Amino acid sequence: MNAGAATEVVERRRSNVEAAIGGGVLGATLGAAVGGSRGDAVHALVGATLGTAVGASIEVITERDGIPGRPKPEWHRIGMATWFAAAIGGLADLALGPITPALFTVPLGLVIGLVGTVGLLSFRRNRPLLGLAVGLVVGAAATPLTDDVSLALLGAIVALGFRLIGRWWFGGRDMVELLGERLEREHVPFVAPYSSPAARIGTDWPARTAAELGWAHTHNPRGVGLVTSLEELRGPRFDPDQVAPTVRHFYEHTSDYSLTITPVWNRRAQLLYWLFKQLIASRIGQANLPFTQTEAQRGVVSAIDTLTVPADPPHDLRVWTRSYAANGDALYVGVYTTYLYQQSGFVSVGFPLPKGNFTATLRAENGPGGALFLQTRRDELGHAGHYLSAVESDGRLTVLKVPALDEEIHVFEEAGSLKTEHRFLVWGQVFLSLNYTMALKSPAAAGEAVGPTARRRA
């Protein structure tokens, strides 16, 4: 056995020991709360003993079979929620003492349904209502059965019922979900993990990043595109030969074009975005989208910078910055990369944040009439979507997926003009459309793309 393999074995054993200790302590605590719910020390001891054995075993099994840094399997999460809710019920039993617990079944059911099942923390619309409904029904059903209702059992039933019904009802579409903690970058190829050590991003992010890392930087060279060639995305689901020549030229020579933008907001979302824009976006110089048509009509300056990464072989990152012509403030700064996964082409756009990143990964598809369609809504491979990442000091990532958010980019020709419809959706409802019209800066602009774009294979 070589040194690397021996170290891996030692680390795995240490991980299993830590999992066993942690699971045993947690299991003992919860088991004691459930077993001692009637004030009986013997049952509390039995519950703690069984809880230790079960908790340690489950944690070791899930640690052994899991992927490092990834969340536990769904059955584990459902079981833990049920166990915690039972412990809450057990503690309520102990606190109430001689008071008839049946009087408290409905209130406890409501509390566990709302908080114990993490109904409020999931951010899923209608989920708190489901938690309340399950708690109310279970609590009301338990009230007339006996004057000695086990609140520990009631809590477990509420939590388990909520989780199972919610899984069927919502289909896993929470607002956010944890993908993993301290992940190596190769474990998440759908994240473009470029961040900023500074509190402000802004249009000078490419130059600052190049200076910090010692990379070569070129500002807006003529003829450079978001991709070197759409051939990078070729696969069974996308044929670049079917894309209209003007659409293809825009993606491969984007810096030769000027853009005009028309924002169309959902009125309910507009106020929320205004608050976000004032408090965060305009201050950090990222995601600072035009709030009104008047703001957009002041003009948008588009530039694509290249950052040459000294890898083997070297490759270029394409950084597309858009800013307001009136004051130079950034709309947003996006790092464009492409990769193939199971012969499907994906475009990952990473938006640097202070010590973090927001990535939109979209799958390439052919549209009617030579259009190019990029989208996150339909992806059986599980890569397309939106990801919020915290970048640790050692470069590892803690990644949240935002499944409630979707995005569609439709680039097409219409009446001799080149246009883009860029739509953002939350739970299937459009909250913002950015409509672009692109035009060559001069008839002679037909520049050649510069260098290989950042391309990764998974």
Side-chain angles (χ1 to χ4, degrees), residues 239-244 366-367 369-371:
D239 182 0
D241 295 335
Q242 296 183 23
V243 177
N366 294 106

Side-chain angles (χ1 to χ4, degrees), residues 1 9 33 137 178 194 210 264 271 282 328 341 371 401 412 446:
M1 181 182 299
V9 170
V137 170
L178 177 66
Y194 304 100
V264 180
L271 176 59
S282 61
Y341 179 75
K401 186 172 185 178
F412 59 97

Side-chain angles (χ1 to χ4, degrees), residues 14-159:
R14 180 183 302 168
S15 178
N16 287 339
V17 170
E18 291 175 353
I21 294 173
V25 171
L26 181 61
T29 304
L30 297 178
V34 174
S37 61
R38 311 314 296 161
D40 186 336
V42 174
H43 284 83
L45 180 60
V46 172
T49 302
L50 291 176
T52 301
V54 173
S57 299
I58 289 176
E59 291 303 314
V60 169
I61 291 172
T62 53
E63 181 72 20
R64 181 194 64 195
D65 297 337
I67 299 174
R70 293 296 177 91
K72 300 289 187 178
E74 186 178 23
W75 65 264
H76 179 274
R77 300 196 298 271
I78 292 175
M80 290 303 296
T82 303
W83 203 352
F84 268 108
I88 292 173
L91 293 175
D93 267 330
L94 288 173
L96 292 172
I99 301 176
T100 305
L103 297 176
F104 295 88
T105 54
V106 171
L108 182 69
L110 292 174
V111 169
I112 292 178
L114 191 62
V115 180
T117 53
V118 203
L120 284 178
L121 300 181
S122 68
F123 301 105
R124 182 62 167 97
R125 62 178 180 180
N126 298 330
R127 191 158 186 165
L129 296 179
L130 176 61
L132 287 172
V134 173
L136 178 63
V137 170
V138 175
T143 300
L145 296 181
T146 176
D147 288 335
D148 192 27
V149 176
S150 170
L151 298 185
L153 178 60
L154 182 141
I157 293 174
V158 171

Side-chain angles (χ1 to χ4, degrees), residues 307-396:
L307 297 177
T308 302
V309 181
D312 186 18
H315 60 262
D316 285 347
L317 295 178
R318 306 294 169 86
V319 186
W320 194 8
T321 62
R322 273 152 285 185
S323 58
Y324 294 103
N327 55 18
D329 287 348
L331 274 79
Y332 50 83
V333 179
V335 183
Y336 280 69
T337 64
T338 65
Y339 71 98
L340 291 175
Y341 179 75
Q342 294 187 9
Q343 299 305 307
S344 284
F346 292 90
V347 177
S348 285
V349 187
F351 299 94
L353 298 173
K355 298 183 180 180
N357 174 276
F358 183 79
T359 298
T361 294
L362 306 101
R363 193 173 78 181
E365 298 178 354
N366 294 106
L372 172 63
F373 191 55
L374 299 170
Q375 58 84 25
T376 63
R377 300 187 72 183
R378 302 184 302 276
D379 178 31
E380 65 280 4
L381 300 177
H383 277 220
H386 295 84
Y387 305 90
L388 184 62
S389 306
V391 182
E392 309 289 346
S393 58
D394 60 1
R396 295 184 180 183

Side-chain angles (χ1 to χ4, degrees), residues 246-247 412-419 421:
T246 52
V247 173
F412 59 97
E413 282 185 290
E414 183 179 80
S417 297
L418 188 59
K419 297 185 176 182
E421 293 179 355

